[in-house]
Amino acid sequence: MSDSIAAQRASIDPGHRGWYWIPVVLLALGIGSILMLLASDWVRGRLMEHDIYLARAVGQIQTNTAVAHLWVEELVTGDAVDRSEIGEHLAQAKRLIVDIESSTPSSGLGKLFASEEDEPIARLAATARQRLDSFTEISKRREDGYAMGSPVGIGSPIDVRYDQVFQELFTDLHALEQLLESRLLSSEARTNAAVRLILAVWSLIVASSAAAIFNRERHRREAEEALHRSEEQLLQAQKMEAVGRLAGGIAHDINNHLAAMTAQCELVKMGADERDPVCGKMDAVIQTAGKSASLIRQLLAFSRREPVLAQTVNVNEVFEGVAPMFDRLIGEDVTFSTELDGDLWNVSIDPSQLEQILLNLVVNARDAMPLGGELSLSTYNVEHRDFRSSMGERIDPGTYVCIRVSDTGCGIPDEIRDKIFEPFFSTKDRSQSSGLGLATVHGIVRQNLGYIELDSRSGVGTTFRIYLLKSEGPAVARSSAPAAALSPAVQPAHVLLVEDNDDLRGSTMEIMQMLGYSVTPAGSAEQALEIFAGARRSFDIVVTDVIMPGMDGKRLVDRLKRHRNDLRVVFISGYTDDVMLDRGVARGEVNFVPKPFSASMLADKLREVLAREPLTSAA
């Protein structure tokens, strides 16, 4: 628990103590009222003192400006004068005139002290301040002119203007002094009225406070509940962040191992007859590796670190693509029905993530109905105003597409409702569930700025509603064409393969060689630079890992392109997008193959890149 939340919790008093302090608070308010009455005369005196201060301030301004005027005249006639003293007198005069200008009340309780002289005082004070600014400016000019030997002495044009500004300033100050003295005469009446109003307001505060205190317990409980929700959300976020960091850290190593495993299986299949039973065994191993990669993607999804390629898609079309799997997932004892909106809006999301949402919710519903039941899935458009979901999350106003999944299963008990989205939390046997299904759904939905609503009653059933933001523009067509068969290289090419993992480097090199490419391996970027510099035959393409000890793949490519700026490059990596971005590699802007990759993925990318005209860039 964070220190801030702990401090907030400690600040909330138990309920009975709130009631205990009610008479004490009322007594304190009563004593405050009496003190206010006794202080009324003091307040009146203070307000009078303020007006007296302002009236005296005008006299002080006159004195300061007169002294400054005299000393400037003495300075330009050759007498020894400290110029800093002139500046201090003018600065003090400026502070005083600003005090007078800002002393006129304009709003709020200040209106209690308003009189008919206030507006003329403010207007005249502003004029006097401008006159004082002009006087200060021309004084400075005479001082600087004297220092530079300019004609600024008695009788000079600037001297005539200087005296004129000084006389105008004194005229304004004299008029201001008369207005302030006039206001001083009416201050006592105004301050008395102000004190009476203050006392009336204070009495109202006492009465309303007595009534408000009785609601204190209710507000305290509401604050404690809100704090409890914030505490739980913080703990959930900390758990997700911790596991997310763990997942991001180990994803690279696991993907390297999975890629090496998959590559070895691909090599065995490429060297065996299609009818050989060993091909089926290799397919089983590849499928198992794929499941492991899927588990990593789930970890990254609920921690919001999964690399995503958001597209504008239609939820109904994505559902129709995975619907054939549902019959095998839910079993014959579950009745499955759908109600899809024919005019459904599009959403922006990675289609594979949307498939994960649908599959995880369907599997979760099936597990909640071990003896059979009814499962329904519906989609519809919805416009939301600002409100909080049943999970306590604030749903921003906007247009959403809703995916509703309902079952008639066992429901979710109240005591675990707040835990169902926690990673690895599950009520099932550990052999049946990883505890990542709903955590994955929650992570994907929040990653795409969506929301989840949950309605469930123990023994009755559960309904999940997923809200995804509407996306403008046409949906991207989803291809159903089968993957192209693995075929040899269209053209021979010399490949520089840079990979720090020994197993993956060896198996990837064998795959490339069986595809017909000539391959030179390097275990590090530094070794690759040496090989490139001493190679007798130029390389047609470089295939390099992004994150490696020492120099990374991006810096290696930058170094190589200083010698061959038309060099073709393919990056490979098992790290997440945020880590690669730190190294300057953005997916979609470069030729990229994610780990673990199949032989066909690698072959297709190599053929695609080699078939293009080489791109050149400025050195």
Side-chain angles (χ1 to χ4, degrees):
M1 183 189 302
S2 70
D3 294 340
S4 61
I5 288 184
Q8 292 178 47
R9 175 170 290 280
S11 68
I12 299 178
D13 294 330
H16 68 277
R17 292 180 63 186
W19 292 102
Y20 172 79
W21 284 103
I22 287 177
V24 178
V25 172
L26 290 175
L27 178 61
L29 291 173
I31 294 174
S33 299
I34 296 173
L35 293 176
M36 193 66 182
L37 287 170
L38 296 176
S40 61
D41 188 63
W42 179 84
V43 171
R44 181 182 61 80
R46 293 288 293 179
L47 293 173
M48 290 288 292
E49 288 176 6
H50 179 67
D51 279 351
I52 294 172
Y53 162 76
L54 295 179
R56 290 176 177 174
V58 176
Q60 185 62 45
I61 294 170
Q62 293 171 329
T63 300
N64 288 335
T65 52
V67 171
H69 178 272
L70 178 61
W71 285 3
V72 168
E73 294 289 1
E74 291 182 358
L75 175 68
V76 300
T77 56
D79 292 341
V81 175
D82 187 352
R83 292 182 60 183
S84 63
E85 291 288 341
I86 299 174
E88 290 178 6
H89 278 283
L90 292 176
Q92 184 180 9
K94 179 66 175 291
R95 288 194 295 271
L96 292 171
I97 196 67
V98 169
D99 284 346
I100 297 172
E101 185 179 5
S102 61
S103 67
T104 303
S106 59
S107 62
L109 290 176
K111 288 293 185 182
L112 295 174
F113 314 119
S115 70
E116 59 183 11
E117 295 90 357
D118 289 340
E119 185 175 348
I121 287 174
R123 186 166 57 249
L124 192 54
T127 302
R129 177 178 52 78
Q130 294 172 0
R131 302 275 195 205
L132 181 60
D133 289 341
S134 299
F135 180 73
T136 302
E137 189 270 336
I138 199 169
S139 296
K140 183 69 166 57
R141 285 169 51 196
R142 292 196 72 187
E143 294 175 44
D144 294 341
Y146 173 75
M148 297 174 62
S150 300
V152 295
I154 304 298
S156 64
I158 194 172
D159 176 60
V160 174
R161 178 58 184 159
Y162 185 63
D163 290 338
Q164 180 183 355
V165 172
F166 179 72
Q167 290 300 327
E168 291 172 349
L169 173 60
F170 252 69
T171 300
D172 290 340
L173 290 175
H174 180 67
L176 182 60
E177 184 178 29
Q178 289 180 331
L179 284 174
L180 285 170
E181 289 176 352
S182 176
R183 190 174 77 170
L184 183 60
L185 297 176
S186 59
S187 290
E188 185 171 3
R190 291 186 287 112
T191 53
N192 287 337
V195 170
R196 286 194 295 269
L197 181 57
I198 291 173
L199 291 175
V201 171
W202 184 255
S203 300
L204 181 61
I205 291 175
V206 172
S208 59
S209 298
I213 288 175
F214 288 99
N215 293 323
R216 181 181 182 279
E217 179 66 11
R218 177 174 59 86
H219 292 306
R220 187 200 62 81
R221 289 180 179 179
E222 290 177 354
E224 189 173 46
E225 291 173 0
L227 177 62
H228 181 65
R229 287 195 300 268
S230 298
E231 178 183 300
E232 291 181 341
Q233 290 173 0
L234 175 63
L235 292 174
Q236 175 71 2
Q238 289 174 336
K239 290 179 183 178
M240 293 177 68
E241 177 66 19
V243 181
R245 289 182 179 179
L246 173 64
I250 66 175
H252 175 256
D253 291 339
I254 293 181
N255 284 331
N256 269 342
H257 296 318
L258 294 177
M261 183 190 309
T262 302
Q264 291 294 340
C265 294
E266 296 271 11
L267 287 170
V268 172
K269 287 181 62 180
M270 293 168 69
D273 188 271
E274 293 182 358
R275 293 169 294 181
D276 193 326
V278 73
C279 291
K281 296 183 182 296
M282 293 300 100
D283 285 334
V285 175
I286 292 173
Q287 290 177 2
T288 302
K291 292 178 180 178
S292 299
S294 176
L295 184 60
I296 288 295
R297 284 195 298 272
Q298 284 188 328
L299 284 167
L300 296 173
F302 80 77
S303 65
R304 306 177 195 174
R305 293 172 178 260
E306 181 186 16
V308 296
L309 295 174
Q311 302 175 14
T312 301
V313 298
N314 186 280
V315 175
N316 292 347
E317 294 180 3
V318 176
F319 166 72
E320 290 170 358
V322 296
M325 301 176 58
F326 288 174
D327 291 337
R328 298 193 300 271
L329 286 174
I330 62 178
E332 298 180 354
D333 54 350
V334 175
T335 303
F336 182 54
S337 61
T338 61
E339 185 178 349
L340 308 180
D341 189 337
D343 296 322
L344 196 66
W345 295 327
N346 297 327
V347 299
S348 179
I349 191 173
D350 188 324
S352 63
Q353 286 190 324
L354 185 53
E355 291 173 356
Q356 277 188 291
I357 291 175
L358 295 171
L359 291 172
N360 281 327
L361 290 179
V362 168
V363 169
N364 191 73
R366 177 207 63 191
D367 293 343
M369 299 182 290
L371 301 179
E374 298 179 3
L375 171 62
S376 64
L377 185 147
S378 59
T379 59
Y380 53 90
N381 302 322
V382 62
E383 293 191 17
H384 272 315
R385 296 183 177 178
D386 190 13
F387 78 101
R388 288 194 177 274
S389 70
S390 59
M391 302 301 296
E393 293 180 319
R394 179 179 175 271
I395 298 183
D396 295 327
T399 51
Y400 295 84
V401 170
C402 181
I403 305 171
R404 180 179 180 274
V405 179
S406 297
D407 65 68
T408 58
C410 59
I412 301 174
D414 293 339
E415 58 269 20
I416 66 169
R417 279 171 59 95
D418 296 335
K419 300 179 180 180
I420 61 173
F421 295 122
E422 292 184 7
F424 308 114
F425 175 80
S426 177
T427 58
K428 308 166 193 173
D429 186 86
R430 284 297 179 188
S431 62
Q432 299 176 347
S433 171
S434 64
L436 289 176
L438 291 179
T440 299
V441 170
H442 186 271
I444 292 175
V445 171
R446 297 302 293 134
Q447 185 181 29
N448 288 278
L449 306 180
Y451 302 92
I452 299 178
E453 272 230 289
L454 168 64
D455 293 324
S456 183
R457 292 176 57 192
S458 185
V460 176
T462 300
T463 297
F464 284 97
R465 282 185 290 273
I466 309 296
Y467 296 102
L468 299 175
L469 279 169
K470 174 187 176 182
S471 176
E472 303 295 339
V476 177
R478 292 179 57 77
S479 172
S480 58
L486 187 65
S487 58
V490 176
Q491 61 186 38
H494 189 197
V495 182
L496 175 59
L497 173 64
V498 189
E499 168 59 59
D500 61 296
N501 184 280
D502 296 337
D503 294 334
L504 181 56
R505 184 174 64 252
S507 56
T508 303
M509 182 177 68
E510 289 186 52
I511 289 177
M512 290 181 179
Q513 290 173 337
M514 293 187 71
L515 290 170
Y517 297 107
S518 174
V519 185
T520 300
S524 67
E526 291 77 10
Q527 184 182 1
L529 289 172
E530 295 177 3
I531 294 173
F532 190 88
R536 296 182 179 180
R537 176 187 170 191
S538 64
F539 292 97
D540 300 297
I541 188 171
V542 174
V543 178
T544 178
D545 194 5
V546 176
I547 310 297
M548 296 181 291
M551 185 185 300
D552 61 37
K554 180 61 169 60
R555 287 192 291 164
L556 167 64
V557 170
D558 291 341
R559 291 277 295 274
L560 294 177
K561 286 198 172 185
R562 294 176 187 173
H563 305 285
R564 285 264 314 276
N565 66 349
D566 63 340
L567 187 64
R568 297 177 174 90
V569 178
V570 172
F571 289 103
I572 57 177
S573 181
Y575 273 106
T576 55
D577 281 358
D578 54 347
V579 176
M580 291 195 297
L581 279 172
D582 290 340
R583 304 301 177 99
V585 177
R587 188 181 301 200
E589 298 179 5
V590 296
N591 301 310
F592 182 79
V593 179
K595 300 177 184 178
F597 51 80
S598 64
S600 60
M601 289 172 61
L602 182 60
D604 291 344
K605 180 58 70 173
L606 290 173
R607 281 195 295 269
E608 173 193 338
V609 175
L610 288 168
R612 299 183 199 147
E613 289 293 327
L615 298 175
T616 60
S617 58

